[in-house]
DNA sequence: TTGAAAGCGCTACCAT
DNA sequence: ATGGTAGCGCTTTCAA
C-alpha cells in the first residue's frame, strides 16, 4: 500500500538501484535522472522503509535509553538532553523504564538488543555482578554509555557527576551553616548512593564530627521514602539538626515530614538534596541542593555514544565527570 | 556475528523453517525436535532479529508516543501509564518530544511512520488545519489515538478529561471560597487551553460575575510564564483575589510571584492549577488543583491503541473522557 | 552513468 | 511433522 522504490522505478522506467542512489545522494547519477526521481518522490510522498534499509545496512538509527524512573525529573531532563543531540542526527530514542528493578532492566535491554539498536544509554539498576547483562551487550557488540550510575569492575564509557563530591559539598555546607547532628537519608546501593554516602562520611570526619549510624537511614529514591525516613529521624533523641538527602524527591518528602511535625526549616532542621530538579525552587521551603547539570549529562552521553557508534574502529571507553555545584536556597539559610 | 536461525539449523540438521516454527510455538513440530531446538537456542543465547521479522510480518511492535514536553511531569506520567500497558504485550515505545512545536512534531511523526511503527499516541501541538500531518498518518493506515488534546474536525480516537469541566470545577471552587475577582492564566490555543478557558467563563457567568478581559492573560504552559503572567496581574488595580491557572507548573510559577510580592496564599490570593502533578503537594503552599488521572489516561490510550492495532477489521474511533476531580489543598483554603 | 544479481534474516505458503 | 521456495524493500557489488 505505501509507495516503494519499485513503484517509482516503474513509473520512470529506471531501475530500483537508481532510485536508491538518488535518495542517498550517490554521486554517479545524471542530473536529469536525479531531478526526475526527486520530482516523483515528492509527488508520491515517498518515504524509505527504514525496516528494510536497516536489515541490509545493519544500522537502525535507534538508540535505547534505559532509566530507572521517568517520573523523576532528573531522568526526564537527561532524556531531553539526549534527544536534543540525537534527533538532529536522525536517530530516534526508545526510552525504557526499568522501575529500579534489575530484572526488568535486563529484559528491556534484551529486547532492545533484539531490535538491533545502534547503541545503548544506560542508567542501570544493576548491582555489580548481579547478572550477565553486560556480557550480552558485549556479545552483540553494541556500544554502551553508562549514565549517572557506574558499575564497578566494568570498563565502560560513563557520564555523570562525582558523587563523593556531591556528598561532600552538601554535608560541608550543612556543617558550615552550624549543623552538628547531621543525618543522611541514603539512596540505593549503587554508585550514586554509595558515593554520596562516602562524601557525607568524609565531610563529617574531616570536621571531627562523629558519624552516628542511627543518623544514617536507608531509603530508596522517592519522596514517600523521604517522608517515612524523616519521621523516623525526628523520633530520635536528640533529633538531627540537618539532613543530607540522596536526591531532591527524597528531600522534598523529608521536608514535608519536618514541617508537618511543626518544626521549622531551616531553623530547627536544615535540608539539602541533590539533583536540582526544576521544581526545587518552588517547594514549601525552596530547597538547597547540589546541581548535577542533568541535561548536560544527557548531551555528553549522546555525544560519546555517537562517537562510538559512528567510528569504524573500536574506541577506548571514556569517562566524563561533571563537577557538581552547590545551589543554596532557603532550606539551609540560617 | 550474532547467532542466526541458519546457524542453529545447520547445527541440528533441520531446516530454518523448523526453527522459526518452534520459536513461534507453531503446533506442527514434533516434541523431540522442539526440545532439541529450544536447547540449542538457549545454549547459544539466540535472539530473533526483529528487524528481519518486521520486514516480513509488517509489524514492528513499536509504538510512537509524541508529547510536547517530557519535563512536564503530567506527560511523564502519561508515558509511564502507556509503558505499563504496552511492555507486557511486547511493545517498545519510542518517545518523541515535540517541544510544543507543530513543525517539529510533524517531522517526528514522519520519521516514526518511516520506521513503520504499529501505532501512534499523540498529544499534538497542531492547531486545526495547520498541516497535512493527519492525512499522512491516514495514508499510512497507522492507527492513532490522541491524548490530552483533541483536534477539532478530526474523527480520531481520543483519551483525556473534559477540559471545560476542569475550568468549571476550578473556578467554581474559587467562587465558593469567596473570591470575586478571579483571573485566569490561559494555556495555548489548543483544545485543553480553550476548554479550560470556556469552563472558567461559564463558571463566572453562571454566578453573575463579570469576565474582565484584563484578568485573562495568555501564557503557555511552563512555570516561568506563570511567574511572568502573575506579576502583570498583581500590577492591576484592583489585583485579583483568585487565579485559575492552565496547569500546575503555571500555578507554581504564579504562586512564586505572589509570595515574592509579599502577599499571602490563599488569604490575599487563592491559586488553583490543573493536572495534580505529584509534587504539587510539596509546593510552598500545597496547591489545590484538578486531577486528570494522568497515568490512567496513558493506560486507557494504550488499550485503545492496542485494540486498533490488533483488530483485523477497521474499528470506529472511540473517545474516553475521564472525569476531572477537584483536589483541595492549602492554596485555596480560606 | 546505469542496472542485474545477490542477499540481509526472517516468515508465508504449499508440498511432501 | 518437516522443509523447499519465494519474497518482504532495500543496499551492495560488479559488470556493462
Amino acid at each position: 500500500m505505501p509507495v516503494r522504490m519499485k513503484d517509482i522505478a516503474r513509473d520512470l522506467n529506471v531501475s530500483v538501484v537508481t532510485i536508491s542512489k538518488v535518495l542517498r545522494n550517490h554521486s554517479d547519477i545524471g542530473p536529469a535522472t536525479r531531478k526526475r526521481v526527486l520530482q516523483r518522490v515528492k509527488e508520491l510522498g515517498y518515504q524509505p522503509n527504514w525496516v528494510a534499509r536497516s536489515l541490509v545496512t545493519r544500522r537502525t538509527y535507534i538508540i535505547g535509553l534505559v532509566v530507572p524512573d521517568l517520573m523523576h525529573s532528573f531522568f526526564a531532563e537527561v532524556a531531553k538532553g539526549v534527544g536534543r543531540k540525537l534527533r538532529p542526527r536522525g536517530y530516534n530514542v526508545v526510552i525504557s523504564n526499568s522501575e529500579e528493578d534489575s530484572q526488568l532492566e535486563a529484559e528491556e535491554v534484551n529486547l532492545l538488543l533484539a531490535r538491533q539498536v545502534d547503541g545503548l544509554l544506560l542508567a542501570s539498576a544493576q548491582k555489580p555482578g548481579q547478572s550477565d547483562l553486560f556480557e550480552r551487550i558485549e556479545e552483540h557488540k553494541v556500544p554502551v554509555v553508562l549514565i549517572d550510575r557506574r558499575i564497578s569492575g566494568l570498563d565502560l564509557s560513563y557520564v555523570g557527576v562525582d558523587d563523593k563530591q556531591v556528598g561532600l559539598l552538601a554535608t560541608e555546607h550543612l556543617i558550615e551553616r552550624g549543623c552538628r547532628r547531621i543525618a543522611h537519608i541514603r539512596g540505593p546501593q549503587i554508585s550514586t548512593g554509595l558515593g554520596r554516602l562516602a562524601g557525607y562520611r568524609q565531610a563529617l570526619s574531616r570536621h571531627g564530627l562523629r558519624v552516628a549510624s542511627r543518623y544514617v537511614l536507608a531509603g530508596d529514591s522517592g519522596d514517600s521514602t523521604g517522608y517515612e525516613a524523616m519521621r523516623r529521624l525526628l523520633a530520635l533523641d536528640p533529633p538531627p539538626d540537618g539532613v543530607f538527602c540522596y536526591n531532591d524527591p527524597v528531600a522534598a518528602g523529608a521536608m514535608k515530614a519536618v514541617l508537618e511535625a511543626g518544626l521549622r526549616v531551616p531553623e530547627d532542621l536544615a535540608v539539602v538534596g541533590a539533583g536540582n530538579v526544576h521544581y526545587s525552587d518552588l517547594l514549601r521551603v525552596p530547597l538547597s541542593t547540589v546541581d548535577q547539570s542533568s541535561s548536560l549529562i544527557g548531551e555528553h552521553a549522546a555525544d560519546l555514544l555517537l562517537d562510538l557508534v559512528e567510528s569504524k574502529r573500536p574506541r577506548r571507553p571514556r569517562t566524563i565527570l561533571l563537577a557538581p555545584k552547590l545551589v543554596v536556597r532557603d532550606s539551609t539559610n540560617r
Side-chain angles (χ1 to χ4, degrees), chain A:
Chain A
M1 188 96 323
V3 190
R4 296 149 309 165
M5 288 192 181
K6 195 196 285 192
D7 304 318
I8 300 181
R10 191 177 4 77
D11 289 3
L12 265 43
N13 271 317
V14 293
S15 81
V16 172
V17 183
T18 305
I19 315 291
S20 171
K21 282 179 175 165
V22 170
L23 288 170
R24 283 171 302 129
N25 291 314
H26 225 280
S27 59
D28 46 279
I29 290 290
T33 325
R34 148 167 278 118
K35 202 172 160 196
R36 289 207 305 149
V37 170
L38 256 20
Q39 158 91 25
R40 194 82 187 120
V41 160
K42 178 164 284 177
E43 281 172 15
L44 299 181
Y46 170 80
Q47 278 187 290
N49 180 328
W50 270 94
V51 175
R53 180 176 280 183
S54 296
L55 183 57
V56 26
T57 60
R58 288 149 188 294
R59 302 270 277 106
T60 54
Y61 282 83
I62 293 180
I63 297 295
L65 168 63
V66 182
V67 296
D69 181 12
L70 249 194
M71 289 296 299
H72 181 357
S73 50
F74 170 76
F75 292 110
E77 212 159 325
V78 169
K80 198 167 182 175
V82 167
R84 193 151 47 215
K85 280 286 183 180
L86 257 26
R87 183 183 31 232
R89 306 280 295 259
Y91 289 82
N92 269 155
V93 181
V94 174
I95 303 182
S96 294
N97 209 320
S98 70
E99 289 171 20
E100 206 72 82
D101 172 343
S102 58
Q103 183 61 40
L104 198 55
E105 172 181 301
E107 287 166 23
E108 290 290 310
V109 169
N110 277 328
L111 227 187
L112 292 171
L113 291 175
R115 286 206 184 289
Q116 318 288 118
V117 293
D118 288 344
L120 238 25
L121 258 12
L122 209 51
S124 175
Q126 304 287 324
K127 317 254 188 312
Q130 194 179 20
S131 77
D132 58 352
L133 181 61
F134 291 94
E135 296 163 31
R136 291 203 61 98
I137 298 176
E138 171 79 46
E139 277 171 25
H140 279 256
K141 303 219 179 308
V142 171
V144 204
V145 174
L146 297 180
I147 294 183
D148 183 52
R149 303 148 173 227
R150 20 189 13 156
I151 309 282
S152 63
L154 288 178
D155 189 27
L156 294 172
S157 285
Y158 168 79
V159 180
V161 295
D162 181 338
D163 284 296
K164 189 165 182 188
Q165 195 62 29
V166 170
L168 264 169
L169 277 175
T171 313
E172 294 208 305
H173 174 60
L174 288 171
I175 296 171
E176 185 246 321
R177 291 300 162 106
C179 299
R180 285 300 170 267
R181 297 183 309 278
I182 300 176
H184 177 42
I185 303 179
R186 319 181 20 170
Q189 309 250 12
I190 52 178
S191 67
T192 49
L194 297 172
R196 290 169 204 182
L197 172 63
Y200 159 82
R201 288 202 168 121
Q202 179 168 327
L204 291 188
S205 67
R206 190 184 275 180
H207 290 80
L209 294 172
R210 237 179 73 75
V211 183
S213 64
R214 58 200 192 114
Y215 278 169
V216 177
L217 258 64
D220 54 31
S221 56
D223 48 50
S224 55
T225 51
Y227 179 81
E228 294 302 334
M230 196 58 188
R231 284 171 57 97
R232 280 185 288 143
L233 285 172
L234 291 174
L236 296 177
D237 184 25
D241 59 1
V243 62
F244 161 46
C245 301
Y246 172 60
N247 63 17
D248 286 357
V250 169
M255 201 144 72
K256 181 178 174 182
V258 175
L259 297 175
E260 223 173 75
L263 298 172
R264 293 161 307 164
V265 176
E267 293 81 355
D268 300 312
L269 206 157
V271 181
V272 191
N276 194 20
V277 304
H278 85 289
Y279 59 82
S280 295
D281 187 28
L282 304 165
L283 296 178
R284 295 218 194 157
V285 180
L287 181 66
S288 295
T289 183
V290 180
D291 185 81
Q292 300 179 50
S293 11
S294 18
S295 74
L296 255 190
I297 290 184
E299 295 186 21
H300 281 303
D303 280 339
L304 237 54
L305 189 62
L306 276 178
D307 189 46
L308 292 173
V309 168
E310 298 187 343
S311 85
K312 309 295 171 197
R313 50 197 72 272
R315 295 172 126 304
R316 308 205 348 276
R318 288 204 283 155
T319 290
I320 297 184
L321 264 195
L322 300 172
K325 275 188 292 294
L326 185 69
V327 177
V328 180
R329 298 204 184 92
D330 293 350
S331 72
T332 55
N333 198 9
R334 62 184 211 168

